[in-house]
Amino acid sequence: MKKIIIAVVTAMALFLLLVIYVNFSIYYVVDKAFMNDPDYYSSPFRVYCQRYIFVNTLVYDIRDFKSGSNLDLHKNFLYTAELLKDYNFKTVWLAFRGARKLKVKGMVFKKLGRDYAEARANFARTKPGTMMDIADEFEKNLLNYDDTPAGITGSKDLFEKWIGRR
């Protein structure tokens, strides 16, 4: 019986360490990149795993939106997707002040990150409109809370459904 208790406690400790490691690595990667690139930091946000436990569900949480434009939502989200393109998430939630509003599937998030990284790396050689195509794909793949298509048609519509004002 004592061995079983030790095994269970050890398994729980290892799981807790895994959860802490994943959350910290996500936070570190995103926070470090945004702090070093002021062109992208326009509004405070946090990126964390859902309830800090479900490591396959990412939450992109805008804490406040005082400055910047509607397009900053696209730009910051896509840059975050680029930074986390090597992670495998099942779902990525878009939240405002902790309230989850919209979501995108993890594979779409990964593809957006790869496409955005490629477009930024080859900006001089990228055909005109590529960045807008990536933003349109992001909008097209957004889902509501109940998995129905969100029907976003532009940055203003995204802003209204995500932040809920203007």
Side-chain angles (χ1 to χ4, degrees):
M1 183 68 167
K2 191 175 186 180
K3 289 183 181 181
I4 293 173
I5 292 173
I6 291 172
V8 168
V9 169
T10 303
M12 289 174 61
L14 289 174
F15 177 74
L16 183 61
L17 286 173
L18 173 69
V19 168
I20 291 169
Y21 171 75
V22 169
N23 276 288
F24 180 74
S25 67
I26 289 170
Y27 172 79
Y28 180 76
V29 166
V30 173
D31 194 53
K32 182 180 176 188
F34 273 86
M35 289 303 196
N36 290 334
D37 195 346
D39 289 341
Y40 282 92
Y41 190 79
S42 63
S43 60
F45 67 92
R46 287 187 330 194
V47 178
Y48 53 89
C49 292
Q50 182 181 351
R51 296 190 190 115
Y52 298 98
I53 295 174
F54 301 109
V55 294
N56 64 347
T57 303
L58 183 73
V59 179
Y60 182 92
D61 191 1
I62 299 287
R63 304 312 293 169
D64 201 4
F65 196 82
K66 293 180 180 175
S67 64
S69 69
N70 298 353
L71 291 176
D72 288 337
L73 289 176
H74 281 97
K75 185 173 71 168
N76 289 349
F77 182 82
L78 291 172
Y79 187 49
T80 302
E82 176 186 344
L83 296 170
L84 300 177
K85 68 183 179 294
D86 296 327
Y87 289 79
N88 293 314
F89 298 109
K90 183 179 177 187
T91 306
V92 178
W93 283 97
L94 285 66
F96 180 62
R97 295 182 181 159
R100 292 174 292 165
K101 305 282 184 124
L102 301 166
K103 64 183 172 180
V104 66
K105 293 181 180 172
M107 293 307 294
V108 173
F109 181 75
K110 184 177 229 154
K111 183 181 181 316
L112 289 170
R114 287 184 177 154
D115 291 349
Y116 191 69
E118 184 179 322
R120 279 183 8 108
N122 301 317
F123 188 72
R125 294 177 295 207
T126 303
K127 66 178 181 173
T130 300
M131 292 293 198
M132 290 306 296
D133 292 343
I134 295 169
D136 289 344
E137 184 176 344
F138 164 53
E139 293 170 358
K140 181 179 73 176
N141 286 290
L142 282 170
L143 303 170
N144 290 317
Y145 203 86
D146 60 356
D147 287 330
T148 59
I152 305 289
T153 57
S155 62
K156 184 178 179 191
D157 196 23
L158 172 66
F159 191 88
E160 289 173 0
K161 288 192 178 183
W162 187 354
I163 306 300
R165 56 182 175 172
R166 270 200 201 181

